[in-house]
Amino acid sequence: MRALWACVMGFALAAMPVAAEEPSVAARAAADQLTRAAEQLAQAEGAQNRVKALTQVIGAYEDGLEAMREGLRRAALREQALGAELQARDDEIAQLLGVLQTMGAAPVPVLMMHPSGPVGTARAGMILSEVAPALDARAMDLRDKVQELSVLRALQQSAADKLQDGLEGVQAARTALSGAMAERTSLPRRFTEDPVKTALLIASTETLEGFASGLSEIAVDEVPGSLPEITPRKGNLALPVEGVILRRAGEADAAGITRPGIVVATRPRALVTTPAPATVRYRGPLLDYGNVIILEPQAGILLVFAGLDVVYGQTGQVLPGGSPVGLMGGAGADGDLLLAADMSQAGAQRSQTLYIEVRQDNSPVDPLTWFRTDKEE
């Protein structure tokens, strides 16, 4: 009987309410985002401006997939925490069940008896009236945690299926966008590229600065004038790709090399867009930068994006703001799913890097003075 009362009092003191977080909310909201993106993809096929529609669809998919990954990550972490807590409380749970079973099986008169005699029995009756609700609350708390664990596991399976659908949808949108870009002929052209002069410039160039200096030489029949100035938007331009700043201007990389631009870590196959209306001054491989696209949003200012896998547009074309200019490299839909499998390592999934350099009057300036980076950094 003494052992029974000791257990009862121990559980009474421990029976404090525990607030349960609801990480599944993010995953469910993300599923809704992916469903809407799929609907947009179906509508984009008949849109008059398919490039614009598909660009918006890919953006919606990327936002939805990011939210889904975050929801899954939070659900996985919550599941781990609950599993560890329940495993650590195995002995406590066994004792609680034993106490409840003993109290349920014992006759009421025997249960109310206390080893110290009638006074103790009277006090025990008063204590028991307080302890019983606490024990019940403790049992309910454990039941809720087990139920939450079951819900989280079911949610993760459902969300993984939705993630697979989303990855297949965004891959279909990327493929459709590539086709739409190849078919687009409606964009104005400010000049025509001289391929011979371009080849000579590339062959004779040893630095990005030297190449930028000679860009005007490859233009034939260039229309005079410039696009509207973007100087008033300085500091408020959106980054051309969703990602996080990996290196700032002037910071050395692993090889000790410093560059005047920034490096943004992105997910595989991320869409890169122009942050403002701009003329394509060059697109293609360049030096050790990989695939490069150089945009001129206004006279004297160049935006250099390097490290893309696929580059869209033609040299001399004038692109509207928000137009796609390329895709990052990395795995396709299957690889995206494999990267998403370990939800506790969200940062490791940003395996691609985009180099961004801004040149004003042919001198590099810190890109972070031009771009808004308040979303992710």
Side-chain angles (χ1 to χ4, degrees):
M1 185 64 69
R2 289 182 186 274
L4 171 62
W5 276 99
C7 288
V8 167
M9 292 306 298
F11 284 116
L13 292 174
M16 301 293 293
V18 179
E21 192 181 354
E22 187 58 63
S24 61
V25 172
R28 289 180 179 129
D32 292 339
Q33 285 182 274
L34 291 175
T35 300
R36 290 193 295 271
E39 294 170 354
Q40 285 181 269
L41 178 59
Q43 296 169 2
E45 291 302 316
Q48 185 175 2
N49 190 340
R50 290 183 65 237
V51 169
K52 181 178 180 180
L54 288 167
T55 301
Q56 293 172 345
V57 167
I58 293 174
Y61 266 118
E62 288 184 346
D63 289 345
L65 289 170
E66 181 70 15
M68 179 62 74
R69 291 185 184 99
E70 176 60 19
L72 276 170
R73 186 185 70 84
R74 290 173 56 193
L77 291 175
R78 178 64 179 160
E79 181 193 3
Q80 288 177 352
L82 280 173
E85 180 182 350
L86 291 174
Q87 186 175 10
R89 292 169 62 181
D90 276 349
D91 292 341
E92 176 189 342
I93 294 170
Q95 289 181 4
L96 174 59
L97 290 175
V99 168
L100 293 175
Q101 289 172 354
T102 302
M103 290 178 64
V108 173
V110 175
L111 185 65
M112 295 298 295
M113 290 179 61
H114 194 276
S116 63
V119 175
T121 299
R123 289 175 178 170
M126 298 173 63
I127 293 173
L128 188 60
S129 66
E130 299 292 332
V131 167
L135 286 171
D136 192 42
R138 195 64 171 173
M140 289 288 289
D141 172 57
L142 290 170
R143 189 196 70 177
D144 289 345
K145 282 183 167 53
V146 171
Q147 185 176 8
E148 182 184 359
L149 189 61
S150 176
V151 169
L152 283 171
R153 286 172 177 166
L155 170 73
Q156 287 181 80
Q157 181 57 54
S158 172
D161 294 339
K162 195 69 178 179
L163 182 64
Q164 176 66 67
D165 292 342
L167 290 168
E168 292 173 356
V170 73
Q171 185 61 28
R174 289 165 181 157
T175 302
L177 177 63
S178 295
M181 291 296 296
E183 297 168 1
R184 184 166 70 172
T185 58
S186 58
L187 290 181
R189 297 180 77 98
R190 287 196 60 208
F191 64 87
T192 303
E193 178 188 18
D194 186 322
V196 176
K197 290 183 177 180
T198 300
L200 290 173
L201 179 61
I202 293 175
S204 62
T205 294
E206 296 182 355
T207 65
L208 180 58
E209 181 178 0
F211 185 80
S213 299
L215 279 177
S216 60
E217 300 174 7
I218 70 174
V220 177
D221 299 327
E222 182 167 2
V223 177
S226 175
L227 294 174
E229 291 192 3
I230 64 166
T231 306
R233 297 174 59 189
K234 185 175 182 179
N236 201 38
L237 293 177
L239 282 171
V241 69
E242 184 72 24
V244 294
I245 307 298
L246 187 63
R247 278 194 301 278
R248 296 172 179 267
E251 289 184 351
D253 61 16
I257 299 173
T258 62
R259 299 188 192 271
I262 62 174
V263 176
V264 180
T266 78
R267 293 189 183 277
R269 312 305 292 167
L271 181 67
V272 182
T273 60
T274 174
T279 303
V280 180
R281 278 291 171 182
Y282 174 77
R283 51 149 286 182
L286 180 64
L287 301 172
D288 61 344
Y289 289 88
N291 268 337
V292 172
I293 187 163
I294 300 179
L295 305 173
E296 183 185 58
Q298 77 175 58
I301 296 178
L302 296 177
L303 306 179
V304 182
F305 304 151
L308 299 94
D309 179 56
V310 177
V311 183
Y312 297 136
Q314 299 295 325
T315 303
Q317 281 184 334
V318 179
L319 304 177
S323 294
V325 293
L327 294 172
M328 299 302 297
D334 292 340
D336 282 346
L337 186 61
L338 291 174
L339 285 169
D342 186 358
M343 292 302 150
S344 65
Q345 299 294 327
Q349 298 166 20
R350 302 187 186 276
S351 57
Q352 303 301 302
T353 55
L354 179 71
Y355 175 73
I356 302 173
E357 187 171 315
V358 179
R359 304 186 70 84
Q360 192 164 5
D361 298 326
N362 207 29
S363 295
V365 297
D366 186 354
L368 293 183
T369 62
W370 281 89
F371 291 101
R372 182 179 69 250
T373 58
D374 54 353
K375 279 190 68 176
E376 286 194 64
E377 187 178 344

